Amino acid sequence: MTAMPEDREKGMKSGFPSHERDLFDDDDVKAAPDKVIARRFGVLGPYLAKLFDHGVEARGVERCPEDQREDQHFWNNLLMWWSVNACLTTVPIGILAQTLFTLTFPHAVACILTFGVIGAALCSFIATLGPQTGLRSLMISRFSVGHIGGTIFSGLNILTQLGFATSAVILGGQTLAAINPGTLPLAWGCVIIAVGSLVPCFVGYNMVHYYEKYAWVIAYFIFIVLYALGGKAGYDIGAQKALENSGTDYVASVLSFGSIVYGSFGWGAVVADYNCKLPVNTSPHKVFWMTFLGLYIPICFAEILGAALITITAPAYVAAYGDGNAGQLLAQVLSPWKGGGKFLLTLLALTNVANNIPQTYSAAISIQALGRPLALIPRFFWCLVAFALYTTAAIVGREHFSLILSNVLSVLGYWTSIFVIMILEEHVLFRRPSGRLRGYNLDDYDSPTKLPLGLAGILAGCIGAAGAVLGMSQVYYTGPIARTIGSSGADIGWELALSFTGVSFPLLRTLEIRFTGR
């Protein structure tokens, strides 16, 4: 699948784009990326070389050739996503079922389990392409939408990862500030979470995997404690029954909350970033199921926890949540353990570091993927830029966590649906061995003249975006189709984006291949 035989041999010669081969002779192209980058920066080269010698990853968007892959166990893929999603940020998503959409606990659980399957499955498919191609998710998309289309996706992903990172930092900061109210300012709590997220991302791929391999253990222990203490405080799963919408308004609530749940599985644009160094012969089935379980189980587990905790009707718990402070609610749940509860709350806040790491790392990769000039600058520099941007945004918007979270997750679901369906259809319809293109010439990933022209992908993406606009239901806009469901509208933007793109892309791509041959 990964390439035609003669092209695979070409791909193994170099993981560097064609412009690199113009800048350096053949021996240098074959060298490790740390040496290439060090030479590129002249007087700064020796300092960069020292960073690379101390373990900082040099490789950015460049393809990882087959002969430079690391023989990591595929279980690392499961543990990676297990830790990323077993975190504090995932819990408030379940809370939104009641606070924004009036759903009772059983209906919230049904939404989480159902929409979660769809999101996890689509994301896990993209993961299987990482080992097969040696490319990051956004670079894989270039074989579907061309260089220009890939650049558009890169820009969208930068905004998405920064939005996710901002919400993670705010919630972590809220929780730290709630440990001893009045002691730690919320802004400083945000800074602590942001700084903790930066270090593994700065070092790179191996450090990210090492951290995520173990981070989930503490998170799951705390989640179990929260489930138990919440039960002691008294879950009231029927508390929302009298307030739950009925008829078409109920349908609208289910679809809108389902859209947020689906968006919480929106790692498709980055998931291949973390397994592109696995051996090319790694079983796609194993990669799929390890990724699926690593996404589905922890996300559902944490979101259901949030949906359960918000059903506690004791006045102290209701007052703690107030106007949307999930950190204070969690502090109240752990309060019976006194000092031990505060210690666990501190650890729980720090679990957001695990969630924020891939957002920081992949934001840097996405910046490089915008174009060659940015790709020439080392990946770790862009990690610093991303860190500065989302830390500033978190401090400025620290009082609006719920609004930021719900909007980011919904919009994420729109464009990632377009992204995933085009890559899936390109792979299944056109790149299979018996398809029109008969595989991938992996050495062309950064050669605009050899990649698809991109008109089919861009036009299909616009058609999908039109579907999203027709079906979206946000504070700032409700589409005409969305308005037909319930009195306030239902968010079906991702479903329409997926459908519109899924129908139009194969037709347009067939025409593009017929007239251009690529």
Side-chain angles (χ1 to χ4, degrees):
M1 162 272 160
T2 55
M4 294 173 279
E6 64 273 18
D7 295 320
R8 175 173 292 185
E9 183 178 353
K10 285 173 57 183
M12 290 180 67
K13 290 181 180 178
S14 171
F16 301 94
S18 56
H19 66 283
E20 289 288 297
R21 294 193 284 275
D22 295 333
L23 292 173
F24 301 101
D25 60 37
D26 190 59
D27 289 338
D28 284 328
V29 171
K30 293 178 181 178
D34 55 346
K35 296 180 182 179
V36 176
I37 292 175
R39 291 189 185 186
R40 182 188 300 151
F41 282 87
V43 294
L44 296 177
Y47 300 100
L48 294 176
K50 287 183 179 180
L51 283 176
F52 300 143
D53 288 341
H54 284 82
V56 174
E57 181 190 15
R59 190 179 303 278
V61 293
E62 299 90 355
R63 178 175 177 261
C64 186
E66 287 86 339
D67 58 353
Q68 295 184 31
R69 306 288 180 88
E70 301 173 8
D71 192 16
Q72 295 177 325
H73 198 282
F74 64 83
W75 277 95
N76 286 357
N77 204 38
L78 182 148
L79 296 177
M80 162 79 193
W81 296 108
W82 205 280
S83 290
V84 167
N85 294 295
C87 65
L88 176 61
T89 304
T90 316
V91 176
I93 297 172
I95 292 176
L96 297 176
Q98 184 175 125
T99 58
L100 289 186
F101 304 108
T102 73
L103 293 176
T104 60
F105 178 73
H107 294 156
V109 172
C111 285
I112 291 167
L113 296 177
T114 303
F115 286 88
V117 168
I118 303 170
L122 291 174
C123 185
S124 298
F125 163 76
I126 301 296
T128 66
L129 302 181
Q132 296 182 63
T133 63
L135 292 168
R136 315 283 189 171
S137 292
L138 289 169
M139 307 308 281
I140 295 171
S141 73
R142 290 182 175 183
F143 289 97
S144 304
V145 298
H147 196 281
I148 296 176
T151 300
I152 295 172
F153 278 142
S154 298
L156 291 170
N157 196 49
I158 291 168
L159 296 176
T160 298
Q161 298 309 313
L162 293 178
F164 253 136
T166 299
S167 63
V169 168
I170 291 174
L171 181 58
Q174 282 183 345
T175 307
L176 288 176
I179 295 170
N180 286 305
T183 303
L184 179 70
L186 176 53
W188 280 106
C190 293
V191 171
I192 291 172
I193 300 299
V195 172
S197 307
L198 176 63
V199 177
C201 303
F202 185 91
V203 176
Y205 186 94
N206 290 336
M207 182 64 177
V208 168
H209 276 279
Y210 183 82
Y211 183 90
E212 304 289 9
K213 187 176 181 179
Y214 302 103
W216 65 273
V217 177
I218 294 175
Y220 266 86
F221 172 76
I222 300 173
F223 285 169
I224 292 171
V225 171
L226 285 168
Y227 267 109
L229 291 178
K232 187 176 180 179
Y235 296 130
D236 186 356
I237 62 174
Q240 194 73 5
K241 186 66 177 176
L243 300 176
E244 187 175 53
N245 291 326
S246 59
T248 56
D249 284 340
Y250 167 73
V251 173
S253 295
V254 169
L255 291 171
S256 296
F257 178 61
S259 178
I260 292 176
V261 172
Y262 172 81
S264 69
F265 287 82
W267 296 102
V270 305
V271 68
D273 297 3
Y274 303 96
N275 61 20
C276 62
K277 295 184 181 181
L278 286 174
V280 68
N281 60 355
T282 304
S283 168
H285 293 93
K286 289 181 179 179
V287 173
F288 179 91
W289 286 111
M290 291 303 99
T291 306
F292 183 91
L293 295 174
L295 292 167
Y296 189 70
I297 293 176
I299 291 179
C300 291
F301 191 74
E303 290 181 357
I304 291 172
L305 171 62
L309 294 179
I310 200 64
T311 68
I312 302 173
T313 56
Y317 292 79
V318 175
Y321 183 73
D323 294 326
N325 195 319
Q328 288 185 0
L329 173 61
L330 294 170
Q332 178 61 37
V333 175
L334 290 169
S335 62
W337 279 23
K338 302 186 185 310
K342 291 183 178 181
F343 176 70
L344 290 182
L345 193 62
T346 302
L347 295 179
L348 182 61
L350 295 176
T351 63
N352 268 17
V353 170
N355 182 260
N356 212 31
I357 285 172
Q359 286 147 195
T360 307
Y361 182 90
S362 289
I365 295 294
S366 301
I367 295 173
Q368 285 191 317
L370 285 173
R372 291 176 174 179
L374 299 178
L376 293 173
I377 299 173
R379 174 202 57 80
F380 66 80
F381 173 80
W382 296 120
C383 284
L384 294 173
V385 172
F387 159 79
L389 289 173
Y390 68 66
T391 302
T392 302
I395 292 173
V396 172
R398 60 189 182 274
E399 303 295 342
H400 307 286
F401 168 74
S402 294
L403 181 61
I404 293 173
L405 180 65
S406 60
N407 285 337
V408 167
L409 290 177
S410 295
V411 174
L412 172 63
Y414 304 153
W415 84 264
T416 55
S417 295
I418 297 171
F419 178 91
V420 170
I421 194 63
M422 284 200 283
I423 294 178
L424 189 154
E425 291 181 334
E426 177 77 23
H427 178 75
V428 172
L429 300 177
F430 304 111
R431 299 286 178 173
R432 68 183 190 277
S434 60
R436 295 179 68 94
L437 297 176
R438 306 193 177 201
Y440 297 78
N441 184 348
L442 297 175
D443 204 38
D444 293 343
Y445 75 94
D446 198 31
S447 300
T449 58
K450 297 180 181 179
L451 291 166
L453 195 60
L455 291 178
I458 293 172
L459 183 56
C462 291
I463 293 172
V469 172
L470 293 172
M472 70 189 301
S473 178
Q474 299 294 325
V475 174
Y476 47 85
Y477 178 76
T478 301
I481 296 180
R483 285 197 293 268
T484 64
I485 307 174
S487 58
S488 300
D491 192 349
I492 55 172
W494 75 266
E495 292 97 326
L496 294 184
L498 188 77
S499 302
F500 282 28
T501 306
V503 171
S504 61
F505 179 72
L507 301 175
L508 294 169
R509 186 77 174 103
T510 298
L511 291 174
E512 183 177 57
I513 294 172
R514 179 176 297 176
F515 287 107
T516 67
R518 52 188 172 100

